[in-house]
Structures are given as C-alpha cells and as structure tokens.
Amino acid sequence: FAESDFYGKKFLLTSHPLKERTPKGNVRWSIKQNRYVEDPPPNSRKNQQKSKDAPIPTVNVLEVEFFSNNTFATTGGMGGSTILRGKFYVIGDQKDQLWMQIWRFGFGRSVSGSVFSEGTYLSKDDEKTYWGKIQYEEELSVNATKTDDNLSSSVEAASSSTTNSKPHVDENDPRLLVKGSVMFGYPLEPQPVGLFILTETTDTNEESEEEDLESSEEDAEWDDDQENRDEQPFFDSDDAFQ
C-alpha cells in the first residue's frame, strides 16, 4: 500500500475504549478446601460500586477525509466547529500499516503548512494516535470464509444472502479497511486506550452526480419521443372510411 491509496477518500473512524482491568486478589492455599483460592482484593465493594456508577463506554464515530499532502481532517462527528487534524503515513516492512497522529497545536498558525486542530472544547484526550493494519474488505471476507469451512449448508446459505444484501464493490477499486489500536502518547511508550476500525465510504457527491446524469439522460430520451410524436402527421378520422 501507499499514501496515495488514501488521497481524496473519506472514511468512517469507529473507536471504543478498552475494558478496565479489575484488580486481582491474593492467591493462597486453603486447608479447608484443599486447593488454591483467591481472596477478594481490598476495597472490592467500593470498586464494585464505582464500576456500577461509572458511565458506560461509548462508541465514537467520526468522518475523516484524507488529503494529498499526507494530512487528514474530521468532516463530521465532532459537533460544532471542532475539527481534528493530523498527519498519516503508511509504515512497516511490507507497507501494510497505517499511522495516524492527531496534532492538537502543531507548529502554530504563523508557520505555513502547520497542521493543528481547532475547537473550543479541545483537550489532551483528543490528541491520540491510531495504528492499524491495512487490508481490503474483500480480503477480510475471503479469510472469514476460509475459517468457516466446517459450517453447515444452512449457515452458508444465510451468509450468501447477507453478502448479496451488501452494496456492490468495484473490483477495480476495492474499499480499504484498517483495524488497530488507539494510543495515547507516541514518543517512547504509548499507552493503548482503545480499538478502532477505519472503513472507506462512498462519496455522496459522486452518487448525486450519477443520479443527476441518469435523470438528465431520461429527460433527453423523453424529449426525443415528444419530438417524434409531434413530427408524425395528424390522423384524420374521415380517411378511415375512404
């Protein structure tokens, strides 16, 4: 893959946080049970109450557009005038990994070519890094079918019906798919804080242009039919009795 594969395309960035690890208690030998048992961690009741009161992790969905200068920007999902911007690179020995890094400040407005985010409610939590593996949606479906060879024929029929319901994907231009982890901090030891899926979407402008072209062609055909009808001579009813 190359950076040019992402130029001028829009993607949906779906991310969700990782589950918090619960503290483990001490493991000891129980004479009564004659086996190893695990004691509950200290303040377990308080932790359980905090976990109940904690808000449910939400799934964030952003619309991201990639540009030809190896930058990207959010075009939807943030609300208001907030825009997240950053740079992206295709890395790895086989060039099959995507590195997306959001810049909160960049080098400032005074520097030409600086990449920075905008918004009143920006915080340090917005400055994240996305690192994942690039693949095509067709490759993902092929790998899924290989792992499901032992399924019954009924399941195969159901899967074929679901694949037929999916939108048609052009073989000459397959859609890209990136799956990986969301990290906070990037210099030395970034901390994984979530998972993300980056899926390519179809451009609504292109679809509207195609619909307008089809409607204009239909209007032109209708006008031609009307002209042909007008050019035909008028049929007189008296001629039928001659």
Side-chain angles (χ1 to χ4, degrees):
F1 298 93
E3 286 85 356
S4 58
D5 296 334
F6 293 85
Y7 292 167
K9 295 182 179 180
K10 290 185 177 182
F11 292 79
L12 286 181
L13 178 61
T14 306
S15 61
H16 62 87
L18 295 175
K19 295 182 179 179
E20 296 183 359
R21 295 182 179 179
T22 57
K24 295 183 179 179
N26 297 325
V27 179
R28 62 177 178 84
W29 178 262
S30 176
I31 300 176
K32 184 177 181 180
Q33 299 182 13
N34 196 24
R35 63 182 181 87
Y36 284 101
V37 296
E38 182 179 352
D39 292 334
N43 300 328
S44 59
R45 294 182 179 179
K46 293 183 179 179
N47 294 332
Q48 291 177 0
Q49 187 66 27
K50 287 182 180 179
S51 62
K52 291 181 180 179
D53 297 338
I56 300 174
T58 57
V59 177
N60 297 326
V61 180
L62 302 175
E63 186 179 15
V64 183
E65 183 176 1
F66 291 83
F67 304 100
S68 58
N69 57 351
N70 285 11
T71 61
F72 66 90
T74 58
T75 57
M78 293 298 297
S81 59
T82 304
I83 301 176
L84 298 179
R85 297 189 182 94
K87 293 186 178 182
F88 73 95
Y89 304 96
V90 176
I91 60 175
D93 296 335
Q94 299 180 357
K95 295 294 182 180
D96 59 347
Q97 301 176 22
L98 179 67
W99 179 275
M100 295 173 55
Q101 184 176 339
I102 296 177
W103 289 91
R104 185 182 174 190
F105 298 109
F107 296 99
R109 295 176 180 269
S110 59
V111 181
S112 61
S114 176
V115 180
F116 55 89
S117 302
E118 294 181 358
T120 308
Y121 301 102
L122 286 177
S123 63
K124 62 179 182 179
D125 297 333
D126 296 325
E127 195 170 5
K128 296 177 181 177
T129 302
Y130 300 85
W131 185 12
K133 186 176 181 181
I134 311 171
Q135 56 186 338
Y136 292 114
E137 289 187 356
E138 295 180 353
E139 294 179 359
L140 186 64
S141 61
V142 169
N143 294 332
T145 53
K146 287 182 179 180
T147 56
D148 297 339
D149 289 338
N150 297 327
L151 294 178
S152 60
S153 59
S154 60
V155 175
E156 291 179 356
S159 62
S160 63
S161 63
T162 55
T163 53
N164 293 331
S165 63
K166 293 182 179 180
H168 176 70
V169 179
D170 189 3
E171 296 180 355
N172 298 326
D173 189 15
R175 296 182 181 179
L176 296 172
L177 179 69
V178 184
K179 299 175 69 175
S181 60
V182 185
M183 298 176 294
F184 182 75
Y186 53 88
L188 295 177
E189 295 182 0
Q191 178 185 1
V193 294
L195 300 175
F196 80 95
I197 298 177
L198 189 70
T199 55
E200 183 179 352
T201 60
T202 56
D203 193 357
T204 55
N205 294 330
E206 294 180 358
E207 292 179 354
S208 61
E209 290 178 359
E210 292 178 357
E211 292 178 356
D212 294 340
L213 182 60
E214 292 177 357
S215 61
S216 61
E217 291 177 354
E218 292 178 357
D219 294 339
E221 292 177 357
W222 187 82
D223 294 337
D224 294 338
D225 294 339
Q226 289 294 111
E227 291 178 359
N228 294 331
R229 291 177 182 177
D230 295 338
E231 292 176 357
Q232 292 179 359
F234 181 74
F235 180 77
D236 191 2
S237 60
D238 295 337
D239 296 337
F241 301 98
Q242 292 180 359

